[in-house]
Amino acid sequence: MAKNIYFASDFHLGSPNYNESRKREERIVSWLNFIEPNCSELFLMGDVFDFWFEYKTVVPKGFIRLQGKLAQMADRGIKIYFFKGNHDMWVNDYFTKEIGIDIISDELIIERNGKKFYLHHGDGLGPGDAKYKFLRKIFRNPFCQWAFSILPPRIGLAIANGWSGSSRVASNKKEVFISEESEWLAIYAKEQLAKQHFDYFIFGHRHLPLDIKLNENSRYVNIGEWINYSSYGVFDGEDLRLEYYPNL
């Protein structure tokens, strides 16, 4: 039987509080159980965690059910990819060593069944948002990451969790669609199409499920988030669809 490829993003586990995050984690694990029989590859496309930093011998506690489920899926031969988002860009090699997950720092271009995909979390792309683009360079700078790593974990994680508490996820700000012309990731996708063809551009980060036709052969699909929508993408070998869990 043909296997599907699944795409999900923006779980933001850890936010806005322990109880809400735990409920969301249970829903995500339930979804993984649901897709597992028909899944050949799983792309987790950033902001899986609302904050993640790997010290040399310390990682943030929690999220054991998700990690255990991903390990089980990997052990059964399902290939898993983890994209660094703007909230978990400090993922290093822990998940690779422990589970066998491939860590993707920026874009990933793949071809499956004759279809070409451009994959990225979506942060730092397109016009505008100069402040974040500047901060992204600082946060991804190896020296800055080293400087943070020498802080005791108790202090470093307290600082990071305080920053996380002021995010749009913690405030439950729900994004809205204004127009295709104002969608910066759609603008970015069109710029890439001017250089080469892609059948699908798949992003997260936007926190809004979207499926926009860019031309006769190309689409921009944002797979949304799991706070309000529990949305994801699935490619069945012929077409890419946005779906929602539980499937109604």
Side-chain angles (χ1 to χ4, degrees):
M1 183 175 64
K3 296 281 188 174
N4 296 334
I5 301 173
Y6 291 89
F7 307 86
S9 181
D10 293 86
F11 299 160
H12 286 278
L13 292 176
S15 182
N17 54 57
Y18 175 82
N19 289 333
E20 291 300 314
S21 174
R22 176 68 175 273
K23 292 177 184 176
R24 193 179 319 127
E25 182 183 16
E26 290 174 353
R27 186 166 72 252
I28 292 163
V29 171
S30 176
W31 170 68
L32 292 172
N33 286 326
F34 169 71
I35 69 170
E36 184 176 6
N38 295 317
C39 180
S40 62
E41 295 178 282
L42 173 63
F43 293 81
L44 301 176
M45 297 187 59
D47 288 359
V48 170
F49 307 105
D50 204 56
F51 174 76
W52 185 275
F53 188 91
E54 291 177 23
Y55 292 85
K56 187 174 182 180
T57 56
V58 176
V59 297
K61 68 179 183 180
F63 324 120
I64 296 302
R65 287 161 182 78
L66 174 64
Q67 294 179 56
K69 183 60 193 177
L70 293 176
Q72 182 185 63
M73 294 174 72
D75 289 346
R76 291 178 176 174
I78 297 172
K79 185 65 180 177
I80 303 173
Y81 303 81
F82 186 116
F83 286 67
K84 295 182 180 182
N86 50 302
H87 280 255
D88 48 19
M89 66 177 72
W90 302 279
V91 166
N92 194 3
D93 61 357
Y94 174 73
F95 294 116
T96 302
K97 290 180 177 179
E98 295 296 324
I99 303 178
I101 294 174
D102 282 2
I103 306 300
I104 311 298
S105 293
D106 292 292
E107 74 276 357
L108 178 66
I109 295 172
I110 63 171
E111 188 169 330
R112 299 291 186 271
N113 205 33
K115 302 290 186 179
K116 195 171 182 181
F117 296 74
Y118 185 104
L119 311 176
H120 194 289
H121 176 60
D123 61 315
L125 303 182
D129 206 5
K131 181 180 178 181
Y132 170 69
K133 290 176 181 177
F134 174 74
L135 289 174
R136 187 176 188 266
K137 291 180 180 180
I138 295 176
F139 291 154
R140 289 207 174 195
N141 181 277
F143 175 79
C144 293
Q145 293 186 18
W146 171 83
F148 190 88
S149 73
I150 64 176
L151 291 173
R154 183 176 179 180
I155 296 174
L157 293 176
I159 293 172
N161 288 330
W163 168 70
S164 175
S166 63
S167 70
R168 59 176 168 163
V169 177
S171 63
N172 199 28
K173 178 184 177 182
K174 197 169 183 179
E175 300 292 334
V176 296
F177 177 77
I178 299 174
S179 68
E180 182 177 334
E181 291 71 27
S182 65
E183 287 293 327
W184 65 92
L185 289 174
I187 294 170
Y188 177 81
K190 290 176 181 178
E191 292 173 349
Q192 300 309 304
L193 277 177
K195 303 173 187 176
Q196 59 177 308
H197 170 74
F198 292 95
D199 294 279
Y200 304 112
F201 293 85
I202 304 180
F203 300 109
H205 186 57
R206 180 69 174 87
H207 287 200
L208 186 65
L210 294 169
D211 189 343
I212 296 176
K213 191 173 183 179
L214 302 173
N215 60 33
E216 289 302 314
N217 300 303
S218 301
R219 287 157 54 199
Y220 153 52
V221 177
N222 197 292
I223 50 179
E225 44 85 347
W226 280 69
I227 295 90
N228 296 296
Y229 296 104
S230 299
S231 52
Y232 61 97
V234 53
F235 178 66
D236 61 8
E238 298 294 333
D239 192 25
L240 176 69
R241 303 185 304 277
L242 264 177
E243 296 192 351
Y244 301 82
Y245 185 78
N247 290 27
L248 301 177

